[in-house]
Amino acid sequence: MLSRMSDTPVKQQNTAAYYGQAVASFAVALAATALGILNLDTDVWVRAFLGVAVLYLTTSAFTLAKVVRDRQEAGQIVSRVDQARLEKLLAEHDPFQKL
């Protein structure tokens, strides 16, 4: 029985258009929020607080996305190692061998 290690799934890449849309959407959302904060009819310290809150929320969102991605990739690696072990055991197993 041949090992199927060469059957590993190909890592999917996003298209350039999808990447561009995500970057543009992020830029528009951040710019709109910044314009909204700058045009608020309130004290400067309130606008500064809201600006810092938006920056904190943005960096937290990026960190959360990275953590979720890293956890998913780690799970895939463990799954691939377990699959390789199972395939090795199956390849070495002789069903006609006496126990």
Side-chain angles (χ1 to χ4, degrees), residues 66-82:
K66 182 188 178 309
V67 167
V68 169
R69 183 202 61 202
D70 291 349
R71 179 176 281 183
Q72 181 184 12
E73 287 178 355
Q76 288 175 345
I77 290 170
V78 169
S79 174
R80 288 173 63 186
V81 168
D82 288 344

Side-chain angles (χ1 to χ4, degrees), residues 23-38:
V23 169
S25 176
F26 173 74
V28 167
L30 199 58
T33 304
L35 280 171
I37 290 172
L38 289 174

Side-chain angles (χ1 to χ4, degrees), residues 52-74:
V52 168
V54 167
L55 291 176
Y56 181 60
L57 179 63
T58 302
T59 57
S60 296
F62 277 107
T63 302
L64 177 62
K66 182 188 178 309
V67 167
V68 169
R69 183 202 61 202
D70 291 349
R71 179 176 281 183
Q72 181 184 12
E73 287 178 355

Side-chain angles (χ1 to χ4, degrees), residues 1 20 31 37 47-48 64 75-76 81 83 88 93 97 99:
M1 179 181 259
I37 290 172
R47 287 185 288 204
L64 177 62
Q76 288 175 345
V81 168
Q83 182 67 29
K88 181 181 179 209
H93 175 68
Q97 179 182 12
L99 298 176

Side-chain angles (χ1 to χ4, degrees), residues 26-49:
F26 173 74
V28 167
L30 199 58
T33 304
L35 280 171
I37 290 172
L38 289 174
N39 289 323
L40 277 177
D41 189 24
T42 187
D43 294 335
V44 174
W45 73 269
V46 173
R47 287 185 288 204
F49 175 79

